[in-house]
């Protein structure tokens, strides 16, 4: 495989192609006719990946993507790639789309466990009944890393803030805001807790769906404009402070404790020193025999304890005859200026539904309907 090129310089502003103006006017009228939030059901792959359906181009080409609040760029596999994992996924074919517009600038994206390399293109994006004009995205030609070897989806649609966008590429939700696509500048997640289980996972674009929550949302202001992160007051085990954030919510690094709510991370991550303390206190048996002895773990946000039981933070693998248990925690030392940082991933979001409100720059958290605590 070819080595990925260095990151390209920021892109200059690009005008909307005038040849598409009539098409865009029709799309705007279609968006106005829909005034309700759109619920996209999320497929659960072994409690580690959640992905839903989108369409690109005219006529539409269907893809399943991870909706990731921990990154910003948007990419799918390109039909021009005929090697590696590309061919086992749905691939975008610009030659068949009437609304494709060439860009061609190279783009390299680095994730926590791998990199991708490709080039930029423009096309119409469909989120259910809603259409986004001239959305720029990356057609992937190269990938490397364990995360992509096991990726079930056809791409990633980032939903974090524009400041994280590589090469200044306009993110999907920025276009959603600028084009006034949705009835509300908000999206929410509800993750299922077992593959094929009765609790249905979903992302809701344009608002919330009350059927996915058992209690009202607790809204917390977002800190900064990078990740969807909030202040973390404390971390507790069985109701007692673990002294990881201090009396004033300050970590041992001397910075305020902060936590990102990340739909693209399957586990809970934190500074290696703190994660080591948590894991040492658990002493989890691989055969799951001591689950009942493990403590409850709580993340205190805005004065409210968001509790996880051992049944919720322990991940199970294997089959019905032989099940193995591993803690759903992983050390991750995020360097300044974005870190140190805790990350509450899917392990947390199976218990608590979350809504991400761009208009008011806040995150809402609520007990999810059908969570193990209430089933």
């Amino acid at each position: 495989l070819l080595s990925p090129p260095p990151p390209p310089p920021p892109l200059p502003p690009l005008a909307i192609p005038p040849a598409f103006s009539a098409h865009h006017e029709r799309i705007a009228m279609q968006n106005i006719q829909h005034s309700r939030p759109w619920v996209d059901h999320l497929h659960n792959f072994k409690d580690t990946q959640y992905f839903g359906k989108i369409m690109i181009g005219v006529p539409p080409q269907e893809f399943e993507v991870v909706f990731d609040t921990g990154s910003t760029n948007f990419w799918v596999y390109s039909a021009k790639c005929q090697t590696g994992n590309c061919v086992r996924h749905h691939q975008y074919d610009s030659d068949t789309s009437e609304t494709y517009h060439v860009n061609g600038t190279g783009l390299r994206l680095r994730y926590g466990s791998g990199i991708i390399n490709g080039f930029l293109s423009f096309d119409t994006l469909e989120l259910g009944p809603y259409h986004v004009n001239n959305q720029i995205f990356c057609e992937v030609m190269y990938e490397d890393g364990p995360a992509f070897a096991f990726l079930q989806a056809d791409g990633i649609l980032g939903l974090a803030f524009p400041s994280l966008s590589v090469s200044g590429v306009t993110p999907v939700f920025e276009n959603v805001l600028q084009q006034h696509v949705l009835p509300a500048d908000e999206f929410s997640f509800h993750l299922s807790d077992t593959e094929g289980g009765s609790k249905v996972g979903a992302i809701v674009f344009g608002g919330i769906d009350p059927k996915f929550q058992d209690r009202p949302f607790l809204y917390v202001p977002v800190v900064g404009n990078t990740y969807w992160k909030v202040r973390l007051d404390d971390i507790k085990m069985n109701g007692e402070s673990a002294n990881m954030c201090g009396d004033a919510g300050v970590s041992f690094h001397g910075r305020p404790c902060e936590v990102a709510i990340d739909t693209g991370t399957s586990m809970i991550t934190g500074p290696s020193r703190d994660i080591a303390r948590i894991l040492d206190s658990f002493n989890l048996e691989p055969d799951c025999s001591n689950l009942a002895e493990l403590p409850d773990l709580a993340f205190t946000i805005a004065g409210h304890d968001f509790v996880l039981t051992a049944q919720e933070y322990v991940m199970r693998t294997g089959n019905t005859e032989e099940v193995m248990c591993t803690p759903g925690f992983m050390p991750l030392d995020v360097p300044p200026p974005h870190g140190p940082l805790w990350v509450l991933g899917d392990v947390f979001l199976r218990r608590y539904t979350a809504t991400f409100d761009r208009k008011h720059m806040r995150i809402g958290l609520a007990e999810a309907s059908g969570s193990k605590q209430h089933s």
Side-chain angles (χ1 to χ4, degrees), residues 34-37 130 173 176-177 180-187 204-208 356-360:
H34 299 281
S35 59
R36 292 181 297 179
Y130 295 103
F173 211 73
V176 167
L177 297 177
H180 306 288
V181 171
L182 299 175
D185 300 333
E186 185 177 10
F187 54 89
V204 182
F205 281 102
I208 62 174
F356 301 80
D357 185 347
R358 277 292 300 271
K359 180 178 181 179
H360 301 99

Side-chain angles (χ1 to χ4, degrees), residues 115-354:
I115 61 172
I116 64 156
N117 184 55
F119 60 93
L120 297 173
S121 296
F122 286 96
D123 212 330
T124 298
L125 168 66
E126 293 185 26
L127 302 172
Y130 295 103
H131 296 69
V132 183
N133 294 324
N134 286 312
Q135 178 58 51
I136 192 168
F137 63 99
C138 181
E139 293 191 47
V140 168
M141 297 290 292
Y142 168 94
E143 61 174 26
D144 185 35
F148 303 115
F150 300 100
L151 182 66
Q152 300 298 305
D154 306 312
I156 295 177
L157 195 157
L159 291 168
F161 291 90
S163 60
L164 292 180
S165 178
V166 176
S167 295
V169 174
T170 304
V172 168
F173 211 73
E174 290 310 296
N175 275 332
V176 167
L177 297 177
Q178 294 169 13
Q179 298 176 26
H180 306 288
V181 171
L182 299 175
D185 300 333
E186 185 177 10
F187 54 89
S188 52
F189 282 85
H190 179 76
L191 302 187
S192 59
D193 56 5
T194 53
E195 185 179 17
S198 58
K199 196 175 80 164
V200 177
I203 179 172
V204 182
F205 281 102
I208 62 174
D209 190 332
K211 73 180 179 184
F212 291 130
Q213 62 191 93
D214 277 350
R215 292 182 174 88
F217 280 111
L218 172 69
Y219 286 99
V220 187
V222 171
V223 177
N225 61 351
T226 53
Y227 300 103
W228 285 96
K229 62 181 181 178
V230 298
R231 285 292 300 270
L232 178 62
D233 300 332
D234 202 358
I235 298 172
K236 300 176 182 178
M237 296 185 188
N238 279 340
E240 298 292 329
S241 175
N243 296 315
M244 294 179 184
C245 287
D247 294 335
V250 177
S251 72
F252 71 88
H253 299 274
R255 293 168 55 91
C257 274
E258 296 176 346
V259 59
I261 311 300
D262 185 0
T263 59
T265 297
S266 60
M267 307 174 80
I268 292 174
T269 73
S272 55
R273 172 175 162 175
D274 294 335
I275 293 295
R277 287 180 55 197
I278 291 175
L279 296 178
D280 287 345
S281 68
F282 285 177
N283 193 26
L284 173 64
E285 296 293 341
D287 64 358
C288 314
S289 59
N290 67 334
L291 277 185
E293 303 170 13
L294 300 186
D296 290 349
L297 188 69
F299 294 87
T300 307
I301 299 171
H304 180 86
D305 287 348
F306 292 90
V307 180
L308 295 176
T309 67
Q311 292 286 339
E312 292 160 335
Y313 62 67
V314 169
M315 303 177 71
R316 297 165 179 78
T317 58
N319 51 47
T320 54
E321 297 180 357
E322 185 177 0
V323 177
M324 293 191 63
C325 280
T326 55
F329 301 89
M330 184 177 71
L332 181 63
D333 291 309
V334 179
H338 300 311
L341 183 68
W342 286 83
V343 177
L344 297 180
D346 300 341
V347 167
F348 178 84
L349 291 168
R350 284 190 283 273
R351 170 75 184 272
Y352 298 99
T353 188

